[in-house]
Amino acid sequence: MPTVEELYRNYGILADATEQVGQHKDAYQVILDGVKGGTKEKRLAAQFIPKFFKHFPELADSAINAQLDLCEDEDVSIRRQAIKELPQFATGENLPRVADILTQLLQTDDSAEFNLVNNALLSIFKMDAKGTLGGLFSQILQGEDIVRERAIKFLSTKLKTLPDEVLTKEVEELILTESKKVLEDVTGEEFVLFMKILSGLKSLQTVSGRQQLVELVAEQADLEQTFNPSDPDCVDRLLQCTRQAVPLFSKNVHSTRFVTYFCEQVLPNLSTLTTPVEGLDIQLEVLKLLAEMSSFCGDMEKLETNLRKLFDKLLEYMPLPPEEAENGENAGNEEPKLQFSYVECLLYSFHQLGRKLPDFLTAKLNAEKLKDFKIRLQYFARGLQVYIRQLRLALQGKTGEALKTEENKIKVVALKITNNINVLIKDLFHIPPSYKSTVTLSWKPVQKVEIGQKRANEDTSSGSPPKKSPGGPKRDARQIYNPPSGKYSSNLGNFNYERSLQGK
């Protein structure tokens, strides 16, 4: 093993050789052997090996292996020095291997090392994006869980920081191709991250690009399979995927396939849905997703069938008036509950699809069913008016900080819900029923809040390595929806807004 003095002497030989440095193979070999020495020798080797690496292509494997040994040394200062110099080895056919090594080194729990690895990966990304992606995806597909997790996180947070000249169309096509391979077997959290990666690519900002992403989500959601409402994983996968699809829909990228699946497979099983997510009102979550998607349906082969499914489900939440006894009192002891949150979603979805078949209520239903529906609408509308008056009275004169209390926030949302339902019911009371009114769904935030939420929830890269996720169901922190833990409902006979939120 060479001493410190021998390392300096051989370094001098190589430095003085200038253009003839490649002729001094023995001197470079002495420097490579420095990795077998003590702390001082290793520290020098970590600096000297990369400095002359390009002059000795025949020793490339030995040099990279020597530097890799130093990257795994017990001494943290040696490891950091060796990692910092790794990009100098990323030349030609060596680059994918260096990218592979750096990706494996992402598993470090030392924050300084973690930052060095990130910087080194970004450095070689700018040299050769395709080669670097080769190393990253190799580890994502075949590496250990912690390496896979952090490599995906690296792509989801760092790709957006790279300039256009690095992320060319060809590079983005490679990312899409490799991502499709990974998506064949992913966790829910990984799927969310890959959708974030792909939806940020410039080449997928077009209508055809968005359509491609929707098809990827549909495949992941398994829309060809029969829905199993009693399988929590099946339910959770559908919700996770649909949340990713919703932002992709537009007037040119249609939600038809998802809406049809929800109407045919999910709505009939709404009351039996199970979820692994504690505290989530799964029925309300499904109805919100359906309402959100219903605005972007294209031509629908099963439009009438889907409208019937929606209509039947809506009737379940729009009760008939209780029968009155001969003395005018209610025959039953309990008034029906009016579940406003559910009705807002169902009525909105029905209203959106009804635009495509405006004669559904008058031509497709028999007279008896239409009469029954009108009675239910009238009864619901009466209760609605009482509740709206109570809410307005409770909020009257309140501004600024007073509206920010938890109690008043609930009342404000309840007022949005009831006003929306009121507008939609008025449309359906027209003769013939109208579908012209537009409402903003109650959970949709105003633009100012939306921007603030996006900033607050956006993934940030800190100086520390990410912590390994605990066991159990994985869910990404950035959720498209964040419904309240309860649903707005009320007893018709007792419109007390204090009790309007039926907690779970």
Side-chain angles (χ1 to χ4, degrees):
M1 287 179 288
T3 62
V4 169
E5 290 75 18
E6 288 173 318
L7 286 171
Y8 272 120
R9 185 169 63 251
N10 283 279
Y11 174 85
I13 292 170
L14 295 173
D16 294 339
T18 59
E19 293 183 8
Q20 280 76 45
V21 64
Q23 297 174 12
H24 297 276
K25 187 175 174 181
D26 291 343
Y28 191 59
Q29 185 62 58
V30 171
I31 289 174
L32 294 182
D33 291 339
V35 302
K36 300 169 185 173
T39 301
K40 291 180 180 178
E41 289 81 8
K42 288 178 179 178
R43 195 168 289 135
L44 287 175
Q47 299 173 57
F48 295 169
I49 292 172
K51 187 171 181 65
F52 300 105
F53 171 75
K54 64 183 179 181
H55 299 291
F56 300 96
E58 69 277 19
L59 292 175
D61 282 347
S62 298
I64 292 173
N65 288 334
Q67 195 77 4
L68 181 55
D69 286 343
L70 296 174
C71 290
E72 297 172 342
D73 196 82
E74 292 180 359
D75 189 311
V76 66
S77 64
I78 292 172
R79 290 202 308 270
R80 290 175 185 174
Q81 180 65 44
I83 291 169
K84 184 180 177 182
E85 303 293 346
L86 269 179
Q88 294 193 54
F89 295 84
T91 57
E93 61 185 21
N94 297 315
L95 189 138
R97 185 182 174 195
V98 173
D100 191 282
I101 292 167
L102 283 167
T103 306
Q104 291 180 61
L105 291 172
L106 283 170
Q107 65 188 292
T108 179
D109 289 321
D110 180 274
S111 59
E113 270 183 66
F114 184 75
N115 278 338
L116 285 170
V117 174
N118 271 270
N119 291 337
L121 271 171
L122 282 173
S123 174
I124 66 170
F125 220 117
K126 291 169 185 174
M127 297 179 202
D128 180 355
K130 284 186 175 182
T132 307
L133 285 168
L136 280 160
F137 275 103
S138 171
Q139 286 300 317
I140 289 171
L141 287 165
Q142 300 167 11
E144 295 178 18
D145 287 349
I146 183 66
V147 175
R148 173 186 171 100
E149 178 187 322
R150 293 187 180 179
I152 294 172
K153 191 75 171 177
F154 174 86
L155 288 173
S156 71
T157 56
K158 302 299 183 183
L159 278 183
K160 61 190 175 186
T161 68
L162 295 168
D164 291 350
E165 57 266 27
V166 174
L167 281 181
T168 62
K169 186 179 179 182
E170 285 184 355
V171 170
E172 290 195 344
E173 285 173 356
L174 178 62
I175 293 170
L176 178 59
T177 301
E178 293 299 313
S179 296
K180 285 179 178 178
K181 294 176 188 174
V182 181
L183 288 172
E184 290 175 10
D185 183 18
V186 287
T187 65
E189 184 181 33
E190 289 171 346
F191 175 67
V192 169
L193 288 173
F194 267 101
M195 288 307 299
K196 178 182 176 183
I197 291 165
L198 296 175
S199 59
L201 300 180
K202 295 188 300 297
S203 58
L204 294 178
Q205 303 299 318
T206 60
V207 170
S208 62
R210 284 312 199 221
Q211 191 60 53
Q212 260 190 286
L213 290 178
V214 168
E215 287 164 10
L216 268 180
V217 177
E219 189 177 328
Q220 193 71 26
D222 232 355
L223 297 186
E224 297 298 326
Q225 298 298 315
T226 302
F227 181 65
N228 183 359
S230 61
D231 180 355
D233 291 335
C234 177
V235 175
D236 191 49
R237 182 176 66 244
L238 179 64
L239 293 189
Q240 286 257 30
C241 292
T242 308
R243 288 189 193 103
Q244 298 307 308
V246 166
L248 301 171
F249 296 135
S250 66
K251 63 180 182 179
N252 295 315
V253 180
H254 297 146
S255 59
T256 313
R257 191 176 172 194
F258 278 83
V259 170
T260 296
Y261 189 83
F262 268 60
C263 289
E264 286 187 345
Q265 303 264 353
V266 186
L267 278 185
N269 298 297
L270 192 64
S271 61
T272 62
L273 296 179
T274 53
T275 174
V277 185
E278 190 177 345
L280 177 69
D281 184 343
I282 186 68
Q283 296 180 50
L284 181 56
E285 176 77 349
V286 164
L287 294 178
K288 283 188 170 190
L289 285 166
L290 178 57
E292 189 90 10
M293 293 188 293
S294 65
S295 306
F296 302 111
C297 282
D299 294 334
M300 190 174 279
E301 187 181 330
K302 300 179 179 179
L303 177 57
E304 185 178 335
T305 304
N306 290 339
L307 271 167
R308 284 190 186 277
K309 297 276 189 187
L310 272 169
F311 180 79
D312 291 343
K313 185 56 65 175
L314 181 58
L315 290 186
E316 290 181 26
Y317 294 98
M318 300 198 78
L320 284 165
E323 293 180 14
E324 292 190 352
E326 289 182 7
N327 60 3
E329 296 291 330
N330 286 341
N333 294 324
E334 193 174 329
E335 298 282 0
K337 281 184 179 178
L338 303 184
Q339 294 176 313
F340 295 117
S341 290
Y342 288 11
V343 171
E344 178 198 17
C345 298
L346 285 163
L347 204 53
Y348 182 89
S349 300
F350 180 80
H351 193 268
Q352 291 295 315
L353 266 60
R355 289 176 177 176
K356 297 179 177 297
L357 191 62
D359 66 346
F360 173 79
L361 288 173
T362 52
K364 305 298 180 182
L365 292 182
N366 62 46
E368 200 60 39
K369 264 201 167 181
L370 181 58
K371 181 183 176 183
D372 173 82
F373 184 51
K374 287 288 181 77
I375 291 170
R376 292 170 189 265
L377 280 179
Q378 286 174 335
Y379 177 65
F380 204 96
R382 282 208 316 270
L384 199 65
Q385 293 303 323
V386 176
Y387 194 33
I388 287 173
R389 282 198 297 273
Q390 285 197 348
L391 286 167
R392 284 178 176 162
L393 187 63
L395 293 170
Q396 191 174 357
K398 290 184 171 63
T399 57
E401 291 301 316
L403 288 174
K404 293 180 182 178
T405 66
E406 198 58 38
E407 181 186 346
N408 285 331
K409 281 181 186 176
I410 290 171
K411 292 171 190 170
V412 168
V413 175
L415 189 57
K416 285 181 185 177
I417 292 171
T418 47
N419 279 332
N420 283 347
I421 297 172
N422 196 37
V423 170
L424 297 174
I425 285 179
K426 282 181 179 178
D427 252 15
L428 297 181
F429 267 131
H430 284 155
I431 302 174
S434 168
Y435 299 92
K436 292 180 180 177
S437 295
T438 58
V439 298
T440 300
L441 290 162
S442 60
W443 64 88
K444 297 277 283 183
V446 294
Q447 189 66 22
K448 184 178 178 183
V449 175
E450 195 171 54
I451 292 170
Q453 286 176 340
K454 185 175 180 184
R455 284 176 183 159
N457 291 330
E458 209 166 51
D459 286 324
T460 55
S461 181
S462 66
S464 301
K467 302 295 180 188
K468 190 164 184 178
S469 299
K474 296 181 179 181
R475 296 185 63 81
D476 186 42
R478 178 179 170 268
Q479 297 293 330
I480 301 300
Y481 299 102
N482 187 18
S485 60
K487 52 184 175 290
Y488 298 102
S489 61
S490 181
N491 288 339
L492 182 57
N494 181 19
F495 279 89
N496 184 346
Y497 54 80
E498 303 286 356
R499 296 170 58 193
S500 67
L501 190 65
Q502 303 294 323
K504 287 292 184 189

